[in-house]
Amino acid sequence: MFTNVSTFLPYMMTGLIVTVQVFLVSVLIAYSIAFIAGMGRASHHVAIRGVSTVFVELFRGTSLLVQMFFFAYALPLIVPNLAMSTFMAGALAIGLNYGAYASEIVRSAIQSVGHGQTEAAISLNMSKWQRMRFVILPQAIRLMLPGFGNNAIELLKGTSLVYFISLADMTFRANVLRGSYTSLSNQIEIYFYLLLMYFVLALPLIFLARKFEKRAGKGVRTS
């Protein structure tokens, strides 16, 4: 066992770039959506809050894998002009799905800022946008960071699902090897390396999440 490292690992590493690219694009989409939907759900306008709620519940209440299939295979049939690559379909589905979950982090953080802060900003004749930008968000972002760190770790693990839409990431490469090396020891070795590669990728995110948690906790104690 573990005698084919020079064969298996380099081949699986060829999918590393795809995994990282999907992760980075998905994170960008997810956190953009998180702020838009989260602030929308915290809005006092019924229409904005309603649209944001429908979006969040739609993507939280349906399967991420089915969402990938929809963007990759169904959407081009419904709207031909919106046809996209499997890479973009996978990254978009992951970003929207995890962005919907992260929007709850944004909403709860905004609503946790004390009403006294808003009242003080109103007394200074600040507009709603100024109150949000200069008073509420700076305090809320500190509270969002731990949740965002954990969300990013979960998102990274979710990128393995792009294998199902034939995107050649690390999981796809591992399954190609599994089809060629069918002995039990080889398959154990293949998936051990795959687990290890995902863990190494997640390790910096784990440390960042812990750092953010400590910073957020310190901010709470000193407030």
Side-chain angles (χ1 to χ4, degrees):
M1 193 176 296
F2 306 118
T3 58
N4 296 298
V5 60
S6 61
T7 301
F8 292 166
L9 204 53
Y11 181 77
M12 292 167 66
M13 288 287 288
T14 59
L16 175 63
I17 294 177
V18 175
T19 295
V20 172
Q21 288 176 335
V22 171
F23 170 74
L24 293 176
V25 174
S26 298
V27 163
L28 181 62
I29 295 172
Y31 292 155
S32 299
I33 290 297
F35 274 97
I36 294 171
M39 293 175 69
R41 295 199 73 186
S43 173
H44 296 296
H45 296 282
V46 175
I48 295 175
R49 191 168 63 249
V51 171
S52 300
T53 299
V54 169
F55 166 81
V56 169
E57 297 306 328
L58 175 64
F59 279 93
R60 291 201 308 174
T62 55
S63 166
L64 172 56
L65 186 56
V66 175
Q67 291 165 18
M68 282 189 190
F69 288 147
F70 179 83
F71 286 125
Y73 306 124
L75 189 60
L77 298 178
I78 299 171
V79 187
N81 292 333
L82 290 181
M84 62 187 74
S85 65
T86 53
F87 174 90
M88 197 60 220
L92 183 61
I94 295 171
L96 292 175
N97 186 277
Y98 282 91
Y101 283 99
S103 70
E104 285 296 287
I105 299 172
V106 175
R107 181 189 63 82
S108 61
I110 289 174
Q111 293 181 341
S112 69
V113 176
H115 291 294
Q117 302 285 335
T118 302
E119 292 172 358
I122 292 174
S123 69
L124 294 174
N125 201 30
M126 287 186 174
S127 65
K128 289 183 178 180
W129 167 245
Q130 289 175 325
R131 294 198 298 268
M132 180 62 69
R133 180 182 177 186
F134 297 113
V135 178
I136 298 174
L137 275 182
Q139 298 178 71
I141 286 175
R142 180 186 297 174
L143 302 176
M144 297 175 199
L145 291 178
F148 276 2
N150 291 325
N151 185 267
I153 295 169
E154 293 298 321
L155 190 152
L156 173 63
K157 293 184 286 186
T159 61
S160 62
L161 292 178
V162 298
Y163 152 72
F164 288 100
I165 56 174
S166 302
L167 200 58
D169 69 328
M170 297 190 304
T171 302
F172 181 92
R173 299 293 184 182
N175 280 282
V176 170
L177 287 174
R178 179 181 63 85
S180 301
Y181 297 85
T182 57
S183 70
L184 180 61
S185 62
N186 283 334
Q187 296 200 17
I188 292 173
E189 186 175 359
I190 289 167
Y191 287 111
F192 172 79
Y193 294 148
L194 185 62
L195 286 172
L196 185 62
M197 290 169 71
Y198 274 107
F199 176 72
V200 170
L201 281 178
L203 203 55
L205 299 177
I206 293 171
F207 286 131
L208 279 175
R210 290 178 179 173
K211 183 177 181 180
F212 289 152
E213 287 174 4
K214 291 180 179 179
R215 180 172 295 181
K218 183 178 181 181
V220 170
R221 287 194 297 269
T222 57
S223 62

